[in-house]
Structures are given as structure tokens and as C-alpha cells.
Amino acid sequence: MPKPTSRPARASGRAASAPGLVSLVGAGPGDPGLITVRGLERLRRADVVIYDHLANPRLLDEAPPGAERIYVGKQAGRHALPQEEINRLLAKQAAGGRRVVRLKGGDPFVFGRGGEECLHLAEQHVPFEVVPGVTAAIAASAYAGIPVTHRGLTTSLALVTGHEEPGKEESTLPWQALAGGIGTIAFYMGVKTLPRIVEQLVAHGLAPDTPAAVIERGTLPGQRTAVGTLATLVETVARAGIRPPALTIVGRVVELRSRLAWFDARPLFGRRVLVTRSRTQASTLAERLEELGAEPVLFPTVRIEPPASWAALDRAVGRLAEFDWVVLSSANGVESLLARLRAAGKDARAFGGARIAAVGPGTAEALRAGGLAADLVPRDAVAESLAAALADDARAGKGFLLAQADRARPVLAEALGRAGGKVTRVVAYRIVLERGDRAAARKLIAGPLDALTFASSQTVRNFVQIVGLKAAREAARRGSVFSIGPITSATCRELGLSVAAEASEHTIPGLIATVLAAF
Ligand code: SAH
């Protein structure tokens, strides 16, 4: 991990004092997907990231593992680090040519004190740049189904701070102008001061029946929106228990929400769903759940690694055409086999007359992606069905290559062997337990949990092993367990996790459909 260099500030050599670059990057309002391409690129090559509490912590994962991460966040009334010290820190961290990313919620220049930071850097002759971000007023409104401007409803938009010095007698806000002529007004930092905001607007002539909304945690899975009019908003917000960060939108555009709400209208909105696939496999499941509005809780229980040695697989790849059947029981197996084929400078012709069996649609899809069509895919994507489908050929003494995980269940190899088949089993990849720290893993599942998804027996076992049996059962009681198929369900039950529903199609889309049907 690159530590800050301890070179003297005014070293005589030119290189030693050459300052790096400070990038003020807007992290966007919360949804990590709303950072800009440039912002993400800066984050990915950062030497140090200095961040606030509003920047989504998931974005920090994008910085290189060795990058230093410094939290300087502020929360209402509680300054983690005074602004002057943040300013100095930025300049100091840039010394020695380091690439500093100053990650800020929303846009750095919209109520983000980015201007002050830049002024200090300019004074110190430290090069800086600004990567704008999607500011909360625009983004939270958009996710609440409220266009901040709309033809025929409003011609102007004001971004206003609702946070004024407490006890200040005279308001410095231009209430007359706001109430008298702005179509849409967005108040930042105004939950506590909402009664005063409403009072001032009405006192300066805005009609009490003007539509208004408060959006809490906009663009995040926990987004909540309270809608009313200036006359009712304070009470509605109090009743809903809205808390910061939240944004107030005042104007006729708020009416559009009743027709345009989309984000919180998604079928799995607000559901926390545990995803326990391997780190590399989790993305499709998590992405799809997210599209459906769920908050995927990524619990990487296993990781796919190469076998201890490629020798056995390479030998098998060298004589593929000698087998009657090449049997693949996972997409990982396919990828591994094809990678070794390529490494040997060969292509699909190496299969010769060998036929190819895939345990299920996911495996068949991976074959297709590699330019190969499976000759056999059993109706149930389980090893038992595959064994049954191959039983006749096994009895005829045919040769089978099984490219599998190191921890694959032995059923297929045993069944084919017992029937008389000549079985060659090679390890195509290893399933490695994530050595997650138990406390961190428990914390991950400690919050509300609506569903737990398991896409293999192994992930069930690993999940239990990592969090412990008691915590696993407790989590399964709080949320519903969804399994990809009968074997995984059996493993769940064996470990005392009762299964709420099992996918009828034993694939990831099948698993998602089952979760969807349950909610
Ligand atoms: N620079 C930020 C604003 C920082 S001020 C930006 O451009 O968005 C902090 C205020 O922003 C909060 O008090 C709240 O009013 C608003 N805010 C930030 N993120 C928000 C979110 N996800 N949902 C609603 N309001 C948010």
C-alpha cells in the first residue's frame, strides 16, 4: 500500500516537490451507477481517496486495493474534520505526484464546499480539476418521478439551501423572489427547518395548495417520498418520520409523480436480498435484482480459482476426440475447458466426434458463447438427471470426460461408472471459500433481510460456515430462503434453513422469477 511519502515539502529536487493532481469528483446522489465515466476513471487510478459520508461507500471499492482511503465526512452538527483541515489535507496529499480524488456526494460545487477547497488549492499552486456530479435535486426528483422542469408547468428551477444558522433572526434567503417567481424550488438540508421554509413561502405569497414533496435517501434502495401541499407537508413529513438526507421540492411539477413514479414502483423495491454466489458470478443475479428494485446484499461466499495444476485438464484437452461424451456441469467448467483449449492453440475441432452434454441451460449458454452447441441438456438441471440421460451410453461402455469443480458432488461420476461407463474426471476449477471475517459477514446480514438466494449447495454450506449455523438460521427465519433447485433445497433443509420456494427452472433467471413471484 503506497504510504504518503515523507519527503520534505520544499525539497531542492524538482521531482520531489512536484505536486500531483487533486480531482474533485462528484460521486452522484447515492446510486453508485450515477457517478460519471470520468469520475469513475479518476477513482480507478487514485492513489488516495478523501471522501464524505454522502458518497456511496460502494464506490470506494472502485479505487485500487492499495489506495489510501481517508474519511473526512461531516454529519449535521458534527464535523469529522474542520473545512480548513480538509483543505490542507488535500494539498498535502497531492505532494510527491500523488493522484488525489476528493469524492463528494452529488456535485462538488452544489452546497459541497468544493469552491473553498479549490480556492485553497489554487492559492497553494496545487493543480486541480473538477469532475461534476449529478446533484441531489436533479437525481432524487428524477427517481421520485418528478421532472424538475416541465413544459407548461415551470420555466425556472432554484437550488436553495434550507440550512441557515439556527437562531438567525433575519433570513438571508430571497423569499420574495422565490415565492414570487420561481417555478420549482429545491431545498437542500432543510428537514429540520421545513416548518420555517413553508411558513416563509406562504408568507411571501405562494399559495398554500402548492404541491410539495420531501424525498429521503433519493436514488437509494431506501428512498421514501412524502407528498403534500405547502399546507400539509410539515405534518405529512413528521408522520412519515422523514430524516436527512432529504430534499424538499416545491412546485406544480410534484403533481407529475402520481403518473411518473417508476423507481419506487418496481416490484422488488425496498427488498433486501442476500446474494450468495461467487464474487465473479454474483453480478448477473445482483444486477437483475437491482433492476427489479431490490437491494442486493452481496455475500461472496465462494471464489472460483484455477486448479492446483492444469496438468490433468490439459491431458484431457489433448485427447478430447477420444471421448464419446464431454460432460460439463457448470459454466465455470466450460470457461476453464475452453480457456485451456485456446492455450493449447486449438479450437472446437479438437472435440472431433465427441458429443457434449451440459447439466443445464446456464452451462449450455456458456458453451454457445464459446461457439459450441450442447448435444444434450437434461430437463432438470441436476447431476442425477444428467446421469439418467447418459445411462444407456454408460451401459454401452462409452468414455466420458467430466470437467468439474474440485468440490463437485461425486454422484455423476459414480452413476456413470456403476453403469459401466469409462469415466475420466478432471478438476477444471476450484471453489475456494472466501476467508471473510465472521463479524463483517454477520454485520452484512444484520439489517432487515427479505430474501436469501442460494444458487448451489456449496454456497449454502459456505454461507453457514462463514456466519455460523446459529446466525444463518436466524437470518433464514427473518428472510425467506429461495433455492435454485432440489439439491440446493435439500442442503438448506439439512442445515435447518427452511426453504420458502424453489425455482422450477433451475437457472438464475428461474431463481429470480421465483423471488419475484413470492413478493
Ligand atoms: N453536493 C451535494 C449536496 C450536499 S448538501 C449535491 O450536489 O447533491 C447535503 C444535502 O443534499 C442533504 O442535506 C440533502 O438535502 C441533499 N441530499 C444529498 N443526497 C441526497 C439524497 N440521496 N436524497 C435526498 N437528498 C439528498
Side-chain angles (χ1 to χ4, degrees), residues 28-31 53-54 104-113 133-137 140 187-191 215-220 223 244-248:
D31 179 340
H53 87 282
L54 277 178
K104 290 172 154 298
D107 179 272
F109 281 175
V110 179
F111 305 125
R113 307 190 71 166
V134 186
T135 190
F187 290 94
Y188 288 71
M189 301 169 282
V191 179
I215 308 158
E216 174 190 295
R217 297 178 62 72
T219 78
L220 290 163
Q223 173 177 312
L247 199 108
T248 304

Side-chain angles (χ1 to χ4, degrees), residues 457 461 469 473 487-497 499:
S457 287
R461 290 209 185 86
L469 194 55
R473 286 182 181 162
I487 308 295
T488 306
S489 299
T491 307
C492 288
R493 291 194 197 97
E494 193 184 296
L495 291 166
L497 315 181
V499 176

Side-chain angles (χ1 to χ4, degrees), residues 81 110 150 179 201 206 309 313-314 321 323 410 424:
L81 208 60
V110 179
H150 190 78
L201 289 174
L206 206 54
S309 150
L313 183 58
D314 284 348
F323 296 99
T424 305

Side-chain angles (χ1 to χ4, degrees), residues 124-150:
Q124 301 294 311
H125 306 290
V126 176
F128 66 88
E129 65 175 1
V130 183
V131 183
V134 186
T135 190
I138 311 287
S141 302
Y143 272 51
I146 302 171
V148 286
T149 73
H150 190 78

